[in-house]
Amino acid sequence: MNRKRTIKGILTGIVSLVIIMVHIIPLYILIGVAFKKKTDMSSRWVWPKYFYLDNFVQAIRRSDLLLAYKNTFIITVCSMFLIVILGGFAAYPLARRQTRFNTNIQRFVMGIMMVPPLSILVPLYSLMVDMGGISTYWGVICLLVTFNLPLSIYLFSNFIKSLPITLDEAAKLDGCGPGKAFFYILLPLLKPVIASVAILTGVSSWNDYMFSLYILQSPKMRTITLSVSSFFAQGGSNLNHAAAAALMGVMPIIIIFIFLQKYFVKGMVDSAIK
């Protein structure tokens, strides 16, 4: 029995190590290329013995990265706020009222998660053109919110189901309506799932390329992903500048995740098993 546990532990450790390496190696190569000179022909696996910071300076100048930061920040924060608020509001009645109609709504929401956005990109683009949403913040925000809401509703509803219904009943006896009960009683208890939804949808919005490419056509509306892609052209590409821009683009997400990871893990586990 102990031998089986030992073998299982070793196999689990090996699989975990492989998964960690798969995620760390691209970041390791990215950092190394970002600090190398373009004339440095050494292997990308070899860590540079110097730090060439001009790649970062050129990445900011050539791609107008500061403007891209501003655009990406506005789009991500607005999308994330709407996804959390609307997802929580929609999930509350679905979780508290277990009717056949609400069950069908939840199944419909799960079905929407299975639809690839690329498959309906043409009608979405046509709709945005008719509505005047091309090269606007609200146009791309609407699309990001639409395709991230199902995940938000799913996580919120599963988490709210785990909370005792007596909380709502006690709030009702104290004269609180459904809105006040949600804001003052349930919302403080939803911090873990709020962090999970914020991280998942925030990363998705920050890294969005498809919607940004087709909706944000004006150079002034360029996001970080579009700025990084600008270093790759038919006439040639500059991997060092692109790596520097990509590294600056991914660092805010990594830092935020480090500070919110305990809430993220708790929210994901509770939403999945409860």
Side-chain angles (χ1 to χ4, degrees):
M1 190 69 178
N2 291 332
R3 184 179 180 182
K4 290 183 178 180
R5 290 182 178 178
T6 302
I7 295 175
K8 184 178 180 180
I10 293 175
L11 292 176
T12 302
I14 293 175
V15 172
S16 301
L17 182 62
V18 171
I19 295 174
I20 292 173
M21 294 300 294
V22 167
H23 287 81
I24 289 181
I25 287 175
L27 185 61
Y28 168 83
I29 295 176
L30 176 70
I31 296 174
V33 174
F35 284 102
K36 283 184 177 181
K37 296 180 180 180
K38 189 176 181 180
T39 55
D40 190 337
M41 304 305 293
S42 62
S43 172
R44 295 192 179 97
W45 292 90
V46 177
W47 193 267
K49 298 180 180 179
Y50 57 90
F51 291 100
Y52 187 65
L53 300 179
D54 190 60
N55 289 330
F56 296 88
V57 176
Q58 294 300 323
I60 294 174
R61 289 179 179 176
R62 286 187 54 191
S63 63
D64 205 354
L65 199 62
L66 297 181
L67 178 61
Y69 257 115
K70 186 195 78 170
N71 294 333
T72 306
F73 180 80
I74 292 174
I75 292 171
T76 301
V77 171
C78 293
S79 300
M80 190 168 55
F81 176 79
L82 290 174
I83 292 167
V84 170
I85 294 298
L86 296 178
F89 274 148
Y92 180 50
L94 292 176
R96 284 310 195 211
R97 298 178 182 177
Q98 298 296 317
T99 64
R100 181 177 297 180
F101 177 78
N102 284 352
T103 301
N104 291 331
I105 291 295
Q106 290 180 340
R107 291 173 179 172
F108 177 74
V109 169
M110 291 293 295
I112 294 177
M113 294 174 62
M114 302 297 107
V115 178
L118 190 60
S119 64
I120 56 174
L121 183 60
V122 173
L124 284 176
Y125 179 80
S126 178
L127 179 63
M128 286 292 106
V129 171
D130 294 338
M131 295 175 60
I134 302 298
S135 296
T136 61
Y137 288 129
W138 68 265
V140 70
I141 288 173
C142 284
L143 295 179
L144 291 173
V145 171
T146 300
F147 283 94
N148 283 289
L149 261 181
L151 175 62
S152 176
I153 294 173
Y154 172 76
L155 293 177
F156 270 114
S157 60
N158 282 356
F159 193 91
I160 293 174
K161 287 178 183 177
S162 69
L163 301 177
I165 193 68
T166 53
L167 293 174
D168 302 65
E169 296 172 350
K172 188 175 181 180
L173 291 175
D174 290 337
C176 292
K180 285 187 177 181
F182 178 78
F183 272 107
Y184 295 106
I185 305 300
L186 293 183
L187 195 60
L189 303 175
L190 298 178
K191 290 181 180 178
V193 72
I194 288 176
S196 298
V197 172
I199 290 176
L200 288 173
T201 59
V203 170
S204 176
S205 301
W206 186 275
N207 293 332
D208 174 69
Y209 178 75
M210 182 182 65
F211 290 137
S212 300
L213 177 64
Y214 291 99
I215 302 302
L216 303 179
Q217 299 180 359
S218 171
K220 294 182 179 180
M221 298 298 297
R222 179 180 291 177
T223 59
I224 288 178
T225 53
L226 297 181
S227 295
V228 174
S229 67
S230 66
F231 290 102
F232 301 91
Q234 293 182 353
S237 59
N238 193 319
L239 293 179
N240 302 88
H241 293 174
L247 183 60
M248 287 187 286
V250 77
M251 285 308 297
I253 296 296
I254 295 177
I255 294 173
I256 292 174
F257 179 78
I258 290 174
F259 284 101
L260 297 180
Q261 62 177 332
K262 64 176 182 178
Y263 298 106
F264 173 75
V265 174
K266 178 176 174 55
M268 290 297 296
V269 171
D270 290 348
S271 296
I273 65 176
K274 294 183 180 180

